[in-house]
């Protein structure tokens, strides 16, 4: 149960820049236009960010990830249930990895 | 949060947000366990683990920090640690800007404090709810508190267990994140207008992930894809005009 001034400064600094960036987006949002190009840009951010989050994991993974992604997508489209889709993905990746390893 | 009469009860929305984030809390917990194990290996004390997870509360930034951390305080790279946290978290500028419609016109500074609880997970759930006409600050906070508790709790368990924990990949739990976000992405589909931005975002993210480590691919892919979507949309309108 100990720490050092150096560690406290580093952690406090990390915390400050993190909250500054997170708060910055919200505070700057009003400066952004509501019509035209910038507005269209903002609207497309959520989908693009999610696609960017997911894509590298799928192409750098083994065939197990690709098969599990197809299963996840299929179950989500059929059921619209996020938890079922996630559970299917985890179970599929687990089973296919076992099969591929064996 | 807001003193305005709201068409919902704070607690209902709070618990709805927490419930919506349950699937992703599984992935937060899996990574939290690993982070706790690695933090012990990197030489962080228990106090430092609690401070970092409690105050910084940003998974990918904390993983990068473990890479830089040294057990001897004199050689701790304070500047690089802070700079790395800033760079890894830059993507939050994009994310929190999209949450602006949840907040009232005035008193935004108080809302800014609540951004502390924004993670990739509860942000994604909240923008999905917003796209269906729902979502609220309470909904966002419910998911954030659940993520915070899962993260801190599993960090401590991992730290306590030390090296006794296996790789989450062994149980397929590393895929929980990808599976959840893939399903969220599919749920955002509005039509063919999404094809170009998603495709460009995916390609840019894949290319970036090959070249640089960390979470740059999220920022690069998110910016490139959304710009491409805006270009296509503005051009289409120009043709119609």
């Amino acid at each position: 149960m100990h720490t050092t001034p150096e560690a406290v400064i580093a952690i406090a600094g990390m915390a400050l820049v993190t909250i500054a960036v997170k708060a910055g987006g919200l505070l700057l949002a009003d400066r952004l236009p509501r019509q035209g190009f910038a507005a269209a840009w903002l609207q497309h951010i959520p989908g693009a960010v999610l696609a960017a989050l997911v894509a590298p994991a799928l192409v750098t993974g083994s065939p197990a990830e690709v098969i599990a992604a197809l299963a996840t997508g299929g179950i989500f489209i059929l059921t619209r249930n996020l938890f079922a889709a996630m559970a299917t993905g985890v179970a599929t990746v687990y089973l296919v990895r076992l099969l591929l390893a064996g | 949060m807001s003193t305005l009469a709201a068409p919902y009860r704070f607690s209902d929305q709070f618990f709805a947000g927490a419930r919506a984030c349950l699937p992703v809390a599984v992935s937060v917990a899996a990574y939290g366990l690993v982070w706790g194990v690695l933090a012990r290996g990197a030489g962080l004390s228990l106090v430092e683990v609690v401070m970092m997870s409690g105050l910084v509360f940003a998974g990918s930034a904390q993983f990068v920090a473990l890479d830089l951390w040294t057990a001897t305080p004199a050689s701790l790279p304070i500047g690089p640690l802070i700079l790395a946290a800033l760079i890894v978290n830059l993507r939050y500028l994009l994310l929190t800007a999209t949450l602006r419609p949840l907040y009232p016109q005035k008193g935004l500074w108080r809302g800014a404090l609540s951004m502390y609880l924004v993670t990739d997970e509860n942000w994604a759930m909240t923008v999905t709810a917003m796209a269906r006409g729902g979502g609220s600050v309470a909904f966002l906070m419910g998911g954030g508190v659940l993520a915070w508790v899962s993260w801190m709790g599993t960090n401590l368990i991992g730290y306590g267990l030390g090296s006794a924990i296996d790789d989450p990949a062994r149980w397929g739990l590393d895929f929980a994140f990808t599976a959840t976000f893939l399903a969220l992405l599919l749920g955002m589909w509005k039509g063919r207008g999404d094809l170009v931005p998603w495709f460009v975002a995916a390609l840019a993210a894949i290319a970036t992930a090959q070249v640089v480590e960390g979470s740059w691919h999220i920022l690069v892919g998110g910016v490139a894809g959304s710009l491409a979507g805006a270009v296509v949309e503005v051009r289409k309108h120009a043709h119609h005009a």
Side-chain angles (χ1 to χ4, degrees):
Chain A
M1 294 293 276
H2 65 94
T3 187
T4 60
E6 287 88 349
V8 172
I9 293 168
I11 292 170
M14 289 171 68
L16 276 178
V17 295
T18 304
I19 184 68
V21 169
K22 286 181 176 177
L26 182 76
L27 294 173
L28 291 173
D30 279 344
R31 310 270 172 100
L32 301 165
R34 289 175 195 281
Q35 282 177 354
F37 186 83
W41 177 48
L42 271 181
Q43 256 171 29
H44 282 292
I45 286 175
V49 167
L50 284 176
L53 272 165
V54 171
L58 295 183
V59 291
T60 55
S62 67
E65 276 82 8
V66 178
I67 295 168
L70 291 174
T72 305
I75 292 295
F76 182 76
I77 290 167
L78 286 176
T79 65
R80 292 272 138 186
N81 183 320
L82 193 63
F83 200 87
M86 189 275 287
T88 304
V90 170
T92 308
V93 94
Y94 174 72
L95 292 174
V96 177
R97 277 176 189 165
L98 274 186
L99 287 174
L100 290 179
Chain B
M1 293 289 139
S2 165
T3 49
L4 294 168
Y8 58 80
R9 281 181 47 210
F10 188 89
S11 60
D12 289 349
Q13 280 288 306
F14 184 89
F15 287 114
R19 214 168 32 241
C21 278
L22 268 179
V24 271
V26 173
S27 119
V28 170
Y31 281 96
L33 215 50
V34 176
W35 190 84
V37 171
L38 295 179
R40 184 178 201 141
L44 271 84
S45 71
L46 185 60
V47 178
E48 287 157 1
V49 165
V50 172
M51 277 198 300
M52 197 187 282
S53 290
L55 298 174
V56 181
F57 184 48
S60 34
Q62 287 182 235
F63 273 105
V64 173
L66 293 185
D67 239 24
L68 299 169
W69 199 267
T70 57
T72 40
S75 61
L76 194 72
I78 297 175
L81 277 167
I82 297 174
L83 189 65
L86 174 67
I87 290 169
V88 171
N89 286 326
L90 266 182
R91 68 177 188 284
Y92 281 112
L93 276 176
L94 296 183
L95 305 197
T96 58
T98 61
L99 296 173
R100 178 65 185 92
L102 296 179
Y103 289 84
Q105 281 308 111
K106 298 278 164 91
L108 199 55
W109 279 99
R110 262 197 315 171
L113 284 178
S114 68
M115 290 297 104
Y116 161 69
L117 279 176
V118 173
T119 64
D120 292 328
E121 285 79 14
N122 62 334
W123 167 80
M125 293 301 163
T126 306
V127 290
T128 298
M130 286 165 76
R132 297 193 195 115
S136 62
V137 176
F139 187 91
L140 180 72
M141 295 297 101
V145 168
L146 178 71
W148 195 96
V149 171
S150 324
W151 181 245
M152 178 65 94
T154 52
N155 286 168
L156 293 177
I157 293 170
Y159 190 84
L161 290 174
S163 54
I165 283 288
D166 282 318
D167 181 9
R170 199 170 146 188
W171 305 106
L173 283 173
D174 57 318
F175 196 71
F177 179 86
T178 309
T180 310
F181 282 74
L182 178 65
L184 282 175
L185 179 66
L186 293 175
M188 278 192 187
W189 178 259
K190 283 195 287 287
R192 280 197 315 204
D194 290 322
L195 213 54
V196 170
W198 292 9
F199 193 67
V200 171
L203 281 185
I206 289 164
T208 310
Q210 305 274 337
V211 192
V212 273
E213 283 187 51
S215 59
W216 279 106
H217 62 277
I218 304 171
L219 193 64
V220 173
V223 169
S226 49
L227 281 175
V231 168
V232 171
E233 200 173 310
V234 170
R235 278 202 175 172
K236 202 171 64 189
H237 282 296
H239 272 288
H240 284 294

